[in-house]
Amino acid sequence: MAVDMSFLVADQDYYAPSDLLDPGPRYSAGPMPDGWRSREAGLWTHWAPAATGLADTGWKVHVASSLANAQSVLPVVAAVCAELDVPFKHLAGRRTFLLLHGKHGARVQAGKFCALYPPTERCARQVLERLAAELSGISGPYVLTDRRFADSECVSYRYGAFRSRTRVDAEGHRIATMIDPDGAEIDDDRAPRFQLPPGISDPFRVEDTGPAAPAAKGAVVLRGHTFEKVLQHSNAGGAYRFRAADGEPAFVKEARSYNGYTEDGADATSRLQAEYLTLRAIYPRRPGLCPRPVELFRHWEHSYLITEWVAGDSLYHWMVRNNPALHTPPTAAAFADYHRRCLALLDQLDQQLRQLHELGFVFVDLSPNNVLVDDADRPRLIDFEAVQPIAAVRRIMGTPGYQHPEPRAAAERDPRELDRYGLAALALLLLFPVHETVDRHPPALVHLRADLAEFAPVPDQLWQRATRYHADAEDSALPSPQQIRDDTPGALRWLADRTADALEAMARPDDRLAVYPSTPMGYQTDTRAVAAGTAGVLHALHRAGRACDPAIVRRLRDESLAAAGNSAPGLLFGSSGIACVLAELGEGEAAGTLLDTAAGHPLNAGSATLLDTAAGHPLNAGSATLGGGAAGTALGLLIHHRRTGEQRWLELADRLLRQVPDGEQLTARLSPRTPSGLAGGRTGVALALYYLHRLTGEPEPFERGMRLLRDELAYAEPLTGTGLRFTPSPTDPRVMPYLYVGSAGYASVLSRYLAHRPDADFDAAELPAAEALERCLRSCSVRFTAFAGLFPGLAGLAVTLAGVGARLGRPELVEQARVTARGLFRYAIPRTDGVCWLGEPGQRLSADLWSGSAGILLALRQLTDPTPGPLDLLDDTALAPAG
């Protein structure tokens, strides 16, 4: 999974927004006139005359700078702003500059050192002309969202919002908006390209130059090489596949000027030059040890390196494709063959690293994406950006989980130790990637080996190579693997109790951002919602029999009521789920208010709404999903109907689901990111329809839900083999077994339909419903997943097997669920206050329900306690008809 590195810089234990980062040495704007005021806000320092306010929208002016020139450029900008009374902001300090302009920074923000807010178009022109003149000859990175002014190489502009204004989408994300010339609110699209809203023309355009110029027709050709495909974009530049004049493929790497910095202040251009020289030094002496360098050149303001094309798949994808642990059913013979191939592959990599060391170089950043493996299992090292002479290692670059824990100390002792550690981490990857857990709790390896040994023993040589840098001691903080197998229910209950202990200890009642530590998804959406916020944690604690702090409940109630109109309405990401938790905790009146607001939520600006004349407000018709839209809203209404007995909630849910369209109209109202699955696809809508049928007795919702489940099979992988998994979207080729999207979510819903009517089947489908369920259950039986969490990991597979087993009277599935749940111990991170868990995408601890501790706790309680809770969507009795 792609990692947003900005959430990893402010705290070593928990995800945290980059706004909390200490900016380091601060930039000084110089003396400002009397009446000007400054304030610090996150990454930025803001300046404005006391009597001057910001317009809603207008022409923003950006000034870009290199790292070296930033402090010198700022007083020039400040002086112009002071003279013209223009409010502005600038990056607060060196660390914030490096974050926004770093190799892993967001491309839409990079280049913006200063942002100016001239009140009128006339003033904007004055500012542009003055800055272009006074900063003539000064260069900075190109701002991808902007257009450069005249021939300046550091002054640019775009039209957009001055004041922060947002709307919410169905998954809880805040979408920036602005007011258009007609006074309507529209999206302020901040894609990495220059664009103007309808009705706005560019009054400052001089000529078409640079990336903002209209693209020339025909193929893109660089140095006789024709562009074929984008492989990757990053803040440092791009990676592309081109084709040479002789028809051979070529790899092209781009470095954007004054961008893509590393902590030592080196930008992407300087690193690309160093990489080219390194390849030139290595290739003639050991052809094949590195990609053959072809040419380094500049085009416009950027640098490009052309090398030979190295065929193969990344080592990570090779592992995913070949590791029997990730497939069902794994066999001892398959493991034996895989282990043999792993050892051969590691031997080859070890030999290549030894050759590199003999030449006087160290690779430094040995990671799964820097190794390609061809069809004959021959590995090749690629991406020599971090390679340096052994005698002069100055730049430390690495990948989380594969970088030595003390890289600078290791580099001073013996830089080759960096590569040896990386090779051991690659060996662990081949067994199974638990790097982040092992870094925090090395005895997790004891549980990993025991879990793998249930299928086949791991050869001692391979195990030693994978664990040479970690103590392979018995885990005294957790039950031993044998104790877990001797009493699995007892071990799972113990794990649930210790998880609840740590979850209680994580509470931060006075934290302004989140009561409980969340994930990047939570901070980017809603830290109150069920999926990644307070409501989900409180629900899990309540389900586990723990008392919920009344102050935290009151805060959840008050903040949710205040934000209801600007929150997503659905069950996982919005107000309906929060309402269900509040009602569960005794706040029934607030729950009813939230549900009324959710039912009338227009969701997306400009989407169609339908007036509910009986209730007097428009029904939510912008999104159909369970996570954030109509299905989740309806399910919340049904839960509240069961709790209160009030008929109006049932009637409102009925009308809401009747307005959800079918066919392609429905596709347009599913998640734009993952239109497949329980959270964002037809499966979630089918779940709401199932419970509507159960509570009304009407046959139409049942029949319609079955049609949706049939249509969802369009996302299934080719119907061959024994398992059945699902792709998240038409553009995402991965196949998933998980709860939020994949086999588990599909099986949990389809099994409800078949348990209620065993003879139910799909109309005009190649695959019968009963067989589709069996194939999904086979995929759910996989016992090794990247994450432990409820929605994207192993816990969700375990509760799905247990739920289907109980629903269909199949005790073998319940037993299989417990066996699967034993694997959770290899992800557990014990601390003095309990057991913690890493949240998605796997680098920091989290309390959330979606992927972190609360979801693990909820799963463990469902596996060990047959009494369901009122929001346990995987338990039939949560919404069963009365009596």
Side-chain angles (χ1 to χ4, degrees):
M1 158 167 280
V3 179
D4 187 337
M5 301 295 287
S6 68
F7 286 93
L8 307 182
V9 296
D11 195 295
Q12 293 303 305
D13 286 327
Y14 301 106
Y15 298 104
S18 58
D19 287 357
L20 303 179
L21 175 70
D22 177 357
R26 291 184 176 272
Y27 294 123
S28 172
M32 297 297 288
D34 293 341
W36 277 70
R37 299 288 183 267
S38 69
R39 64 180 177 89
E40 305 296 332
L43 306 179
W44 300 91
T45 300
H46 296 251
W47 289 91
T52 301
L54 288 179
D56 284 328
T57 56
W59 291 100
K60 293 182 181 181
V61 175
H62 290 122
V63 177
S65 171
S66 66
L67 178 65
N69 283 338
Q71 179 55 75
S72 300
V73 165
L74 179 56
V76 177
V77 175
V80 171
C81 290
E83 180 182 337
L84 299 177
D85 273 346
V86 174
F88 72 101
K89 68 178 181 180
H90 61 83
L91 289 174
R94 187 178 189 274
R95 291 187 70 190
T96 54
F97 188 103
L98 288 174
L99 178 66
L100 257 67
H101 295 77
K103 180 178 180 180
H104 301 291
R107 296 171 68 226
V108 296
Q109 289 292 335
K112 301 173 184 178
F113 173 49
C114 301
L116 288 62
Y117 303 94
T120 65
E121 181 182 310
R122 178 175 178 275
C123 183
R125 179 174 291 279
Q126 287 180 294
V127 169
L128 288 166
E129 290 174 347
R130 283 287 302 279
L131 289 174
E134 298 198 19
L135 295 173
S136 177
I138 302 299
S139 299
Y142 194 93
V143 181
L144 296 176
T145 59
D146 288 22
R147 176 173 281 159
R148 287 252 181 94
F149 178 71
D151 58 356
S152 174
E153 293 186 4
C154 67
V155 180
S156 62
Y157 59 92
R158 71 178 291 264
Y159 191 91
F162 284 6
R163 296 177 180 274
S164 177
R165 180 189 296 270
T166 62
R167 66 171 177 86
V168 68
D169 72 5
E171 291 163 332
H173 293 89
R174 311 307 304 185
I175 309 298
T177 64
M178 63 181 176
I179 304 300
D180 73 4
D182 297 326
E185 186 175 17
I186 62 173
D187 286 354
D188 185 8
D189 190 350
R190 298 179 183 182
R193 61 183 181 276
F194 180 77
Q195 55 190 336
L196 296 172
I200 297 293
S201 58
D202 185 351
F204 311 122
R205 185 172 181 174
V206 176
E207 60 182 4
D208 294 336
T209 59
K217 294 181 179 180
V220 175
V221 179
L222 292 176
R223 289 294 210 271
H225 293 73
T226 303
F227 168 80
E228 285 193 341
K229 183 180 181 181
V230 175
L231 303 176
Q232 178 181 314
H233 277 309
S234 79
N235 206 26
Y240 312 96
R241 186 176 69 195
F242 276 65
R243 192 163 295 276
D246 61 2
E248 288 297 312
F251 176 77
V252 176
K253 186 176 183 179
E254 172 192 41
R256 297 177 59 201
S257 294
Y258 311 111
N259 225 331
Y261 288 96
T262 45
E263 287 188 7
D264 61 348
D267 68 0
T269 300
S270 63
R271 293 198 308 277
L272 192 69
Q273 292 172 351
E275 181 177 3
Y276 174 70
L277 293 174
T278 297
L279 295 176
R280 282 292 182 197
I282 295 173
Y283 188 81
R285 299 160 68 187
R286 287 286 194 282
L289 183 59
C290 67
R292 177 176 59 86
V294 177
E295 185 178 7
L296 176 72
F297 63 94
R298 286 185 66 81
H299 177 72
W300 193 61
E301 296 178 5
H302 299 166
S303 297
Y304 295 86
L305 169 63
I306 303 179
T307 69
E308 70 168 310
W309 178 263
V310 178
D313 207 355
S314 74
L315 184 63
Y316 183 87
H317 289 117
W318 184 90
M319 182 277 296
V320 170
R321 191 172 66 250
N322 292 287
N323 192 337
L326 298 174
H327 303 277
T328 54
T331 64
F335 270 106
D337 182 61
Y338 175 69
H339 292 154
R340 175 190 58 76
R341 296 168 68 191
C342 289
L343 284 168
L345 193 152
L346 291 168
D347 284 340
Q348 295 176 73
L349 281 175
D350 186 34
Q351 181 62 27
Q352 291 176 26
L353 290 171
R354 290 176 185 274
Q355 292 177 5
L356 187 66
H357 297 164
E358 290 171 1
L359 295 176
F361 293 91
V362 61
F363 198 81
V364 179
D365 185 16
L366 195 61
S367 69
N369 289 327
N370 290 342
V371 177
L372 295 184
V373 184
D374 67 12
D375 291 340
D377 287 355
R378 291 177 300 217
R380 286 281 303 271
L381 297 170
I382 61 167
D383 194 352
F384 277 58
E385 179 180 357
V387 175
Q388 297 164 71
I390 291 178
V393 176
R394 297 184 176 88
R395 181 175 305 119
I396 300 297
M397 299 173 63
T399 301
Y402 299 86
Q403 185 182 51
H404 195 286
E406 298 178 345
R408 296 196 180 279
E412 291 176 3
R413 291 192 305 267
D414 182 356
R416 292 170 295 185
E417 197 69 18
L418 299 172
D419 288 353
R420 295 179 188 127
Y421 186 93
L423 187 61
L426 292 182
L428 180 57
L429 164 80
L430 295 175
L431 288 177
F432 193 73
V434 289
H435 300 74
E436 299 287 354
T437 301
V438 169
D439 284 348
R440 295 176 183 272
H441 181 59
L445 292 168
V446 175
H447 299 276
L448 173 64
R449 190 170 198 180
D451 291 343
L452 289 170
E454 290 190 348
F455 297 106
V458 178
D460 288 342
Q461 183 183 0
L462 181 56
W463 185 255
Q464 290 165 5
R465 297 182 80 155
T467 62
R468 62 176 295 191
Y469 286 94
H470 297 288
D472 189 5
E474 289 297 320
D475 187 355
S476 59
L478 299 174
S480 70
Q482 190 58 51
Q483 289 172 325
I484 295 167
R485 283 151 179 79
D486 289 343
D487 181 12
T488 297
L492 296 179
R493 283 192 293 270
W494 179 92
L495 189 59
D497 288 340
R498 296 301 287 145
T499 298
D501 291 342
L503 197 54
E504 288 180 320
M506 286 186 190
R508 306 177 297 194
D510 299 324
D511 190 287
R512 66 179 180 86
L513 293 178
V515 174
Y516 295 96
S518 188
T519 61
M521 180 180 77
Y523 292 114
Q524 291 168 339
T525 56
D526 190 341
T527 55
R528 294 178 299 270
V530 167
T534 306
V537 177
L538 292 180
H539 171 62
L541 287 172
H542 183 71
R543 175 69 175 83
R546 301 296 178 102
C548 296
D549 185 341
I552 294 177
V553 176
R554 287 195 298 271
R555 176 177 168 178
L556 175 63
R557 177 198 66 195
D558 295 344
E559 291 184 352
S560 299
L561 288 172
N566 296 314
S567 300
L571 197 75
L572 299 176
F573 308 126
S575 298
S576 294
I578 297 173
C580 292
V581 174
L582 286 174
E584 179 183 351
L585 300 176
E587 295 286 351
E589 182 178 350
T593 301
L594 285 175
L595 287 167
D596 265 327
T597 303
H601 199 296
L603 191 59
N604 292 316
S607 66
T609 57
L610 298 168
L611 185 64
D612 173 16
T613 54
H617 54 236
L619 289 175
N620 167 20
S623 170
T625 67
L626 178 76
T633 305
L635 205 45
L637 295 167
L638 294 174
I639 291 172
H640 205 57
H641 162 68
R642 288 288 294 119
R643 186 185 301 278
T644 65
E646 295 181 26
Q647 190 69 11
R648 79 180 188 95
W649 302 115
L650 176 61
E651 294 171 354
L652 188 55
D654 185 14
R655 287 197 295 271
L656 187 58
L657 286 173
R658 288 181 186 277
Q659 303 299 341
V660 173
D662 290 318
E664 290 306 310
Q665 286 183 308
L666 174 58
T667 302
R669 294 186 181 178
L670 300 176
S671 167
R673 299 173 180 88
T674 52
S676 166
L678 182 66
R682 288 173 173 81
T683 302
V685 182
L687 180 65
L689 289 168
Y690 167 79
Y691 282 119
L692 180 64
H693 162 72
R694 294 296 304 274
L695 292 170
T696 64
E698 295 293 329
E700 192 273 338
F702 186 96
E703 294 164 0
R704 188 179 177 201
M706 285 295 290
R707 290 197 299 272
L708 291 178
L709 291 172
R710 177 201 63 195
D711 295 344
E712 186 82 340
L713 291 173
Y715 292 98
E717 69 176 353
L719 305 181
T720 58
T722 59
L724 190 65
R725 298 187 182 186
F726 293 77
T727 57
S729 75
T731 59
D732 189 339
R734 296 174 298 165
V735 287
M736 302 292 205
Y738 302 120
L739 190 60
Y740 85 102
V741 56
S743 317
Y746 190 84
S748 70
V749 177
L750 178 57
S751 63
R752 285 168 165 77
Y753 279 81
L754 296 183
H756 181 56
R757 275 183 40 193
D759 61 338
D761 205 351
F762 301 137
D763 294 331
E766 296 181 8
L767 190 66
E771 185 177 346
L773 176 61
E774 290 303 316
R775 290 193 178 188
C776 284
L777 292 173
R778 292 189 192 110
S779 291
C780 289
S781 67
V782 66
R783 288 163 53 185
F784 289 82
T785 59
F787 303 119
L790 180 61
F791 280 90
L794 192 68
L797 303 187
V799 292
T800 296
L801 291 170
V804 175
R807 205 168 289 132
L808 300 180
R810 296 177 57 178
E812 79 280 5
L813 292 178
V814 177
E815 178 58 30
Q816 187 177 3
R818 290 175 181 157
V819 173
T820 296
R822 293 200 304 240
L824 291 172
F825 280 91
R826 66 175 173 268
Y827 305 90
I829 301 174
R831 305 205 304 181
T832 56
D833 53 9
V835 172
C836 295
W837 305 82
L838 296 169
E840 192 180 32
Q843 286 73 42
R844 298 289 188 270
L845 306 175
S846 176
D848 74 300
L849 184 108
W850 181 270
S851 63
S853 295
I856 300 289
L857 175 59
L858 189 62
L860 289 169
R861 294 306 303 177
Q862 290 180 220
L863 289 166
T864 58
D865 184 351
T867 305
L871 193 62
D872 296 346
L873 298 182
L874 305 180
D875 284 304
D876 291 319
T877 54
L879 280 170

